[in-house]
Amino acid sequence: MLEYRKAALEDEAFLFELYVETRREEWGALGWSESELLAFLQMQFDMQMRSYAMQYPHIDSQIVYMDELKIGRILISHTEQAVHLIDLTLTERYRRRGIGTELVQNVLKLGEQSGKPVRLHVLQHNPAKGLYERLGFKVTEDRYPYVAMEWQHDQYKWEVES
């Protein structure tokens, strides 16, 4: 069973480890030493967090748990115009098991309950783009390397298995 808990200062080490796990392959090919790579990734992580905070002042940062284990994070922001899915990251061990689908469907419920669209940006080549398309998101803007996508509660009906 999935649980959410508001991210706290003591979660920062986990969040950085999660970030490194998702970026190591991308940047590891540069041939840097481990300490150089980690210093670079720390700088990137810090910049990402500051950027999110500036763009979304009312960001809701949640740690995702399964059986009391931290398995990921989800960042959501509610604005007058939309529910924004800012980031959804799972540890490698918990990917491709339907958990991401469940988490996104929970965000879609928020959109449906509020009568607002759900919006996100995703890298063009990120495998999650296929998940978003399967759940009814449509591309609204294609600006390399990202695409903007939107889900409208009145344009797509989906069912959650219970």
Side-chain angles (χ1 to χ4, degrees):
M1 182 170 139
L2 295 177
E3 294 181 43
Y4 304 90
R5 295 185 191 150
K6 187 161 189 61
L9 192 55
E10 58 267 15
D11 295 311
E12 193 160 331
F14 167 75
L15 293 172
F16 178 63
E17 289 172 24
L18 186 62
Y19 184 82
V20 169
E21 184 179 292
T22 62
R23 303 298 170 134
R24 180 178 290 282
E25 186 176 325
E26 175 184 359
W27 294 102
L30 295 174
W32 292 343
S33 71
E34 182 70 7
S35 62
E36 290 170 325
L37 178 61
L38 289 176
F40 175 77
L41 290 174
Q42 182 69 59
M43 180 184 66
Q44 293 290 305
F45 174 75
D46 293 343
M47 287 179 16
Q48 180 190 64
M49 297 307 290
R50 276 189 248 130
S51 174
Y52 287 159
M54 286 181 358
Q55 292 176 66
Y56 304 99
H58 303 290
I59 197 166
D60 183 17
S61 179
Q62 300 284 323
I63 303 296
V64 180
Y65 286 80
M66 179 178 274
D67 300 324
E68 295 299 315
L69 291 173
K70 294 177 184 179
I71 66 165
R73 81 162 181 186
I74 188 165
L75 303 175
I76 300 169
S77 179
H78 298 265
T79 65
E80 288 184 26
Q81 299 79 26
V83 175
H84 298 271
L85 176 55
I86 302 162
D87 188 59
L88 169 58
T89 307
L90 295 171
T91 60
E92 181 66 36
R93 180 175 176 205
Y94 290 92
R95 294 181 199 148
R96 293 173 290 285
R97 296 171 73 180
I99 296 168
T101 299
E102 182 178 341
L103 292 169
V104 174
Q105 287 176 327
N106 289 341
V107 176
L108 298 183
K109 286 179 190 176
L110 295 174
E112 191 165 46
Q113 291 166 353
S114 68
K116 296 177 184 176
V118 176
R119 296 181 180 149
L120 58 83
H121 288 85
V122 64
L123 285 168
Q124 290 177 347
H125 302 293
N126 186 329
K129 184 174 179 267
L131 166 65
Y132 301 139
E133 289 169 339
R134 285 192 303 279
L135 292 174
F137 281 85
K138 304 290 184 217
V139 173
T140 58
E141 185 178 12
D142 191 341
R143 191 178 296 178
Y144 186 82
Y146 293 96
V147 294
M149 301 182 83
E150 180 174 285
W151 178 87
Q152 292 278 348
H153 64 92
D154 56 351
Q155 293 179 356
Y156 188 83
K157 294 296 176 194
W158 48 275
E159 295 180 21
V160 178
E161 295 177 18
S162 33

